[in-house]
Amino acid sequence: MSGAAYPLPGLDGPVEIRVDRWGLAHIRAGSTRDAFRAQGFNAARDRLWQLDLWRKRGLGLLAANFGPGYLAQDRAARLFLFRGDMAAEWAAYGPQDTHAIVTAFVDGLNAYVALTEARPELLPPEFALTDTRPARWQPEDVVRIRSHGLVRNVLSEVARARVLARAESRAAGLAADDLRKRISPPHDPVVQDRLDAADWPDDLLDDFRLATATVGVSPERLAAPRDEAWTWSKVDAHGAVTRGPRAAPKEPAEGSNNWVVGAARTETGRPILASDPHRVYLQPSLRYAVHLTAPGLDVIGAGEPALPGISIGHNGHAAFSLTIAPMDQEDLFVCETDPADPDRYRYGEGWEPIERVVETIPVRGGPDETVLLGYTRHGPVIRDAAGRAFALRTVWSEPGAAAYLGSLAYLGATTPEAFGEALRHWSAPSVNQLYADATGRIAWFMAGKAPVRPAHDGLLPAPGDGRYDWAGFHDPGTLPRSLDPEAGWLATANAMNLPPDFPAEAHKVGFEWAEPWRARRIRAVLGGQTRHSLEDSRALQGDTFSEPSRRLADLVRAMSPASDPDIASAQALLASFEGRLDPDSAAAALIEVCWVHHLRPALLETLVPDAGTRRLLPPGDTQSLIERLDGGLDVVTREKLLANALGAAFRDCLERMGSDPMGRLTPEVEGPLPPPSAGGGSDAETIALREPRIGWSWGRLHHTLFAHPLTGLRPDQAWDVGPLPVGGSAASVMHAEYRTDTFRLTHGASFRMIVDVGDWDRSVFINVPGQSGDPGSPHYADLAPIWGRQDHVPMLYSREAVDAATETIITLSPP
């Protein structure tokens, strides 16, 4: 067992951090304030580079470290900083002293930054590679940064407006837009006659997309001269900042699954709660698992590294988890500006001034840059163009909307009623919260700020003259909930789950939800089990079944036998395919290649002949597209589309994976495995795309690579982890969204958790690729091969179990 001891200013007494063999830190303190202070110190110990980059991105300070190529992103980030009353901000998160908790957390973080100045060997290597230093935090930094939070749906609003603007009629436009995004519950969008998106600028959403983009570091961008600074202002199809062509924006494919099964339906006789939030895959992981113990506090689970507390986990009596509930929390307002004074916009019967704010951005290697920001009563101006100011109204501008910080209010909840009361302080992102406790009670709550829209529905931009303003927010108690349901289980997966008796048309909380596939599959599995077990939850989190893929295979099986040998071979390969996108499945590879590269583009071209409109639709709404394919086309057209796509996909797979779909390893390719990947991982991380495979398989194409943000500066890519073969797709419970050009995963479950409510030491989790963000740590990539085989590690809770699994003890003491 290893150990270390450090002074930590501000502590009231000693704190012990026990790091177990899986990298989870168990923090034991004599007071809650000391626990949060130690949490900040420990977060910096494992994730200092990630935390520093997160802060500089959110505050608009990247150019100070990385040069002029980051000026546009810095300006965009500053547009969305919280600029309201800080007293109201701190009070909005609940009855606990949020300011004191965040201050303690930040003090601990800053203490570790100071420690690296005295002991440079503790500094992560990324700072040396970029010749930068970590900066000190202010407590306000934690809450003022909003642009990393998930809200919606301005990208979809603008896309819908542009689709309608190109259509010959309103009905034709809505039919085309249904192929882009299904509206649910059924609803007729409110179309503003005075708004025509035909002449809206192409760069309308650049600032919004820049503000929410991750940080990319490349030699070209680092070397950008001052006169090219503002060319780095576009975002490509994969979310990367670029100076090249911008891509048509789409709503991010981020979501989650969670379920809770009541005691009467489990093998253990205790509730089982499962959670696997789906977010963008990053290195290090977006979430960090931790255990905090102090008088009155004993919570374990995961949160974001830059926040105190946890948002997913349990407190020794009650367990909780969340998924995104896609409520509509932002709207674009189009303000008519005064021809005589572009700093005024029409509001009511007169004109109101646009508030102009001057900001100074430090720039590495040169003088500071002065930028001008604009704000209306609706919110920040994201674009001025042709007599209009486009302003974004968003919950980000409201007190209490720092993402996930509202979880501090429910850490001590021990009844569903107390948990629901704590959620009155939850603003963003909008979520489905599940609850289960040791007495056997279970519950579901939808939570988040839901705007009241008296005159429109949020599906399209609206005039900013006052007629369509928000009228506050719905009372949190009016949002849907369910306590101790008769069915004995609850589940959410971002799909439309408003109860039939909820006044959806009146409340207008949202009409754009995730596609229904994951939710349907979870309901089918849980509804068919009367004795659900922990192993059942493990299996369901790794379930690769895809209903769209099976439905496509059904259509193929209904085709007439083909005479073309490639089409006939494809039909034969799919003859027994039942929709499981397993990594070793040849049929899964064929059906996915067919859909994303051949059938879907051809179907869109058939349904939407106008190329300009078609450009606005991808990737398209799979539910709408399959319904049109199955029931909206005549048999001849459908079979022709299927046959052409199947033949092209089969030849595509031949080129990608060889001539024998069901082939065997040949002697000349047998031999030792390649050396393990760098970054602290094992052989299992490198097997995926480098080991010779047997015939075709979905895992040969579909893979995850946890690329370090600085990989472009390291020719050896030593800090990357992977690649790993992965099954599933965006339609599977094991959400595995991927880039269609490389089949590399972009979004999915980097953190998974299953809680045995009441027998806490039987709970498990996984956080990929590892708990630490330091490439030199043994916990940088140790969980990747475990995650790759859809497995978990123990999430130990009792003092005895934690002590037995401890590998490192870190002692913190008052100086």
Side-chain angles (χ1 to χ4, degrees):
M1 184 179 298
S2 61
Y6 305 107
L8 179 51
L11 285 180
D12 296 324
V15 174
E16 183 179 77
I17 302 175
R18 285 180 168 261
V19 182
D20 67 28
R21 68 189 63 170
W22 303 284
L24 197 154
H26 304 262
I27 299 174
R28 298 170 179 173
S31 69
T32 55
R33 194 73 56 87
D34 279 2
F36 290 121
R37 183 173 278 105
Q39 184 185 10
F41 182 93
N42 180 71
R45 178 188 66 83
D46 258 344
R47 301 287 188 94
L48 184 56
W49 166 256
Q50 180 188 34
L51 290 168
D52 190 66
L53 196 64
W54 185 91
R55 175 185 174 275
K56 289 168 180 172
R57 186 205 69 81
L59 294 178
L61 292 170
L62 293 172
N65 274 188
F66 304 123
Y70 293 80
L71 270 171
Q73 190 169 5
D74 279 350
R75 181 190 177 277
R78 293 177 182 223
L79 270 174
F80 295 101
L81 289 171
F82 178 71
R83 295 174 182 270
D85 179 67
M86 287 307 300
E89 168 69 10
W90 291 119
Y93 296 98
Q96 71 285 343
D97 191 342
T98 302
H99 185 218
I101 290 171
V102 172
T103 299
F105 180 87
V106 165
D107 285 349
L109 196 163
N110 286 338
Y112 192 84
V113 172
L115 186 63
T116 66
E117 294 168 355
R119 297 182 55 182
E121 73 276 10
L122 296 176
L123 200 64
E126 292 93 337
F127 291 102
L129 183 61
T130 56
D131 190 23
T132 60
R133 292 287 308 174
R136 302 293 207 281
W137 290 56
Q138 296 296 321
E140 291 74 18
D141 297 345
V142 173
V143 294
R144 290 190 67 220
I145 298 172
R146 304 291 216 228
S147 52
H148 68 292
L150 297 176
V151 295
R152 64 206 61 77
N153 63 337
V154 66
L155 301 179
S156 188
E157 284 183 23
V158 173
R160 180 172 291 110
R162 284 177 163 152
V163 170
L164 292 176
R166 296 188 62 87
E168 295 180 355
S169 67
R170 182 176 182 274
L174 291 176
D177 190 64
D178 182 64
L179 299 174
R180 183 192 63 83
K181 186 64 181 176
R182 172 65 53 89
I183 291 174
S184 182
H187 170 78
D188 191 22
V190 177
V191 178
Q192 311 300 332
D193 294 334
R194 290 179 56 188
L195 294 183
D196 183 357
D199 64 343
W200 289 0
D202 289 342
D203 62 355
L204 169 59
L205 294 168
D206 280 4
D207 276 349
F208 177 81
R209 299 184 72 200
L210 275 172
T212 54
T214 56
V215 181
V217 182
S218 66
E220 183 185 14
R221 194 175 179 193
L222 289 175
R226 193 68 172 244
D227 60 357
E228 295 179 5
W230 299 98
T231 65
W232 291 91
S233 61
K234 296 179 282 294
V235 178
D236 68 15
H238 311 297
V241 178
T242 179
R243 57 182 303 188
R246 70 176 56 81
K250 62 176 182 177
E251 291 290 333
E254 303 190 15
S256 303
N257 305 316
N258 64 1
W259 56 85
V260 59
V261 182
R265 296 179 65 93
T266 65
E267 188 179 71
T268 64
R270 298 181 297 273
I272 293 174
L273 180 143
S275 179
D276 56 308
H278 307 153
R279 296 290 299 273
V280 61
Y281 282 118
L282 298 171
Q283 171 60 308
S285 170
L286 179 69
R287 289 186 168 85
Y288 185 71
V290 70
H291 183 186
L292 303 175
T293 302
L297 177 72
D298 196 1
V299 296
I300 186 171
E304 299 201 356
L307 298 181
I310 61 170
S311 56
I312 303 167
H314 72 80
N315 61 18
H317 179 81
F320 36 85
S321 73
L322 58 84
T323 69
I324 293 297
M327 293 195 293
D328 185 350
Q329 294 187 299
E330 63 190 8
D331 285 327
L332 186 67
F333 284 93
V334 185
C335 304
E336 176 191 350
T337 54
D338 185 351
D341 182 358
D343 282 338
R344 301 197 307 168
Y345 66 99
R346 185 178 298 281
Y347 192 82
E349 298 301 319
W351 303 93
E352 284 198 0
I354 296 175
E355 180 188 359
R356 298 296 181 181
V357 176
V358 177
E359 294 261 329
T360 301
I361 303 176
V363 183
R364 181 170 186 161
D368 294 349
E369 181 84 7
T370 300
V371 297
L372 192 64
L373 310 179
Y375 295 88
T376 69
R377 66 165 52 225
H378 306 294
V381 175
I382 61 173
R383 184 70 165 88
D384 290 286
R388 290 164 297 199
F390 295 86
L392 188 66
R393 180 74 166 100
T394 169
V395 297
W396 282 344
S397 303
E398 297 294 319
Y404 302 103
L405 194 59
S407 60
L408 289 175
Y410 61 64
L411 294 183
T414 55
T415 67
E417 291 79 10
F419 189 74
E421 183 63 24
L423 289 175
R424 296 183 66 87
H425 303 284
W426 184 282
S427 295
S430 52
V431 291
N432 294 295
Q433 289 271 10
L434 290 185
Y435 168 97
D437 66 33
T439 70
R441 300 194 67 189
I442 64 174
W444 160 66
F445 300 87
M446 190 174 286
K449 281 192 179 297
V452 175
R453 297 180 174 91
H456 76 122
D457 52 22
L459 287 169
L460 287 159
D465 56 16
R467 292 176 296 151
Y468 302 95
D469 285 9
W470 293 0
F473 298 91
H474 290 288
D475 186 293
T478 66
L479 295 176
R481 61 183 59 196
S482 175
L483 276 66
D484 303 315
E486 184 178 345
W489 59 271
L490 294 158
T492 78
N494 321 116
M496 208 294 290
N497 61 343
L498 298 175
D501 61 348
F502 182 77
E505 191 68 25
H507 277 50
K508 294 174 281 196
V509 297
F511 295 96
E512 296 184 323
W513 309 76
E515 294 177 5
W517 318 116
R518 288 181 289 116
R520 283 183 186 173
R521 177 64 171 173
I522 293 169
R523 288 197 300 266
V525 171
L526 295 182
Q529 295 173 339
T530 58
R531 286 294 177 265
H532 185 81
S533 68
L534 292 173
E535 284 304 317
D536 289 332
S537 272
R538 288 182 189 237
L540 189 50
Q541 285 187 340
D543 188 274
T544 63
F545 174 78
S546 164
E547 182 182 336
S549 295
R550 192 206 62 202
R551 290 176 64 174
L552 290 174
D554 289 344
L555 292 174
V556 171
R557 284 188 283 268
M559 292 171 58
S560 304
S563 57
D564 179 283
D566 291 336
I567 301 173
S569 296
Q571 287 178 304
L573 190 58
L574 295 173
S576 60
F577 177 69
E578 292 300 325
R580 295 197 63 86
L581 301 178
D582 294 328
D584 60 354
S585 169
L590 176 63
I591 200 74
E592 288 293 301
V593 169
C594 180
W595 175 246
V596 302
H597 280 284
H598 304 285
L599 182 55
R600 183 169 64 186
L603 179 59
L604 280 169
E605 187 172 357
T606 299
L607 297 172
V608 186
D610 179 63
T613 301
R614 206 162 56 243
R615 184 182 66 85
L616 300 170
L617 305 182
D621 189 283
T622 306
Q623 183 181 14
S624 297
L625 289 169
I626 289 182
E627 286 177 2
R628 300 280 189 99
L629 178 65
D630 193 7
L633 298 175
D634 62 82
V635 174
V636 173
T637 301
R638 180 173 66 244
E639 291 220 355
K640 182 179 179 181
L641 280 172
L642 285 168
N644 289 342
L646 278 174
F650 192 83
R651 292 185 290 274
D652 193 345
C653 288
L654 287 173
E655 184 174 342
R656 293 174 185 271
M657 292 179 285
S659 60
D660 187 356
M662 309 305 294
R664 293 292 183 267
L665 286 172
T666 57
E668 60 267 23
V669 298
E670 292 178 339
L673 294 177
S677 67
S682 68
D683 287 348
E685 298 166 19
T686 63
I687 292 173
L689 305 183
R690 301 170 192 171
E691 179 192 5
R693 304 289 300 216
I694 300 175
W696 296 1
S697 70
W698 181 219
R700 285 189 65 183
L701 303 176
H702 191 235
H703 68 283
T704 185
L705 175 68
F706 301 100
H708 192 281
L710 300 183
T711 192
L713 306 184
R714 289 190 60 112
D716 59 2
Q717 299 179 333
W719 294 343
D720 293 353
V721 179
L724 298 169
V726 181
S729 73
S732 304
V733 176
M734 194 186 80
H735 187 141
E737 183 85 11
Y738 59 89
R739 290 176 53 154
T740 57
D741 57 342
T742 64
F743 295 97
R744 175 181 161 186
L745 268 64
T746 58
H747 298 79
S750 58
F751 177 82
R752 295 190 180 105
M753 177 187 75
I754 303 170
V755 180
D756 186 335
V757 178
D759 194 353
W760 308 108
D761 286 336
R762 297 185 70 224
S763 304
V764 295
F765 85 104
I766 196 74
N767 192 26
V768 72
Q771 278 279 93
S772 179
D774 186 342
S777 168
H779 299 298
Y780 180 75
D782 56 327
L783 300 182
I786 303 171
W787 175 90
R789 58 178 182 263
Q790 303 305 312
D791 207 348
H792 303 70
V793 299
M795 191 169 78
L796 302 176
Y797 184 68
S798 70
R799 181 173 291 264
E800 297 77 19
V802 170
D803 288 352
T806 297
E807 287 193 341
T808 302
I809 298 178
I810 300 170
T811 302
L812 305 178
S813 303

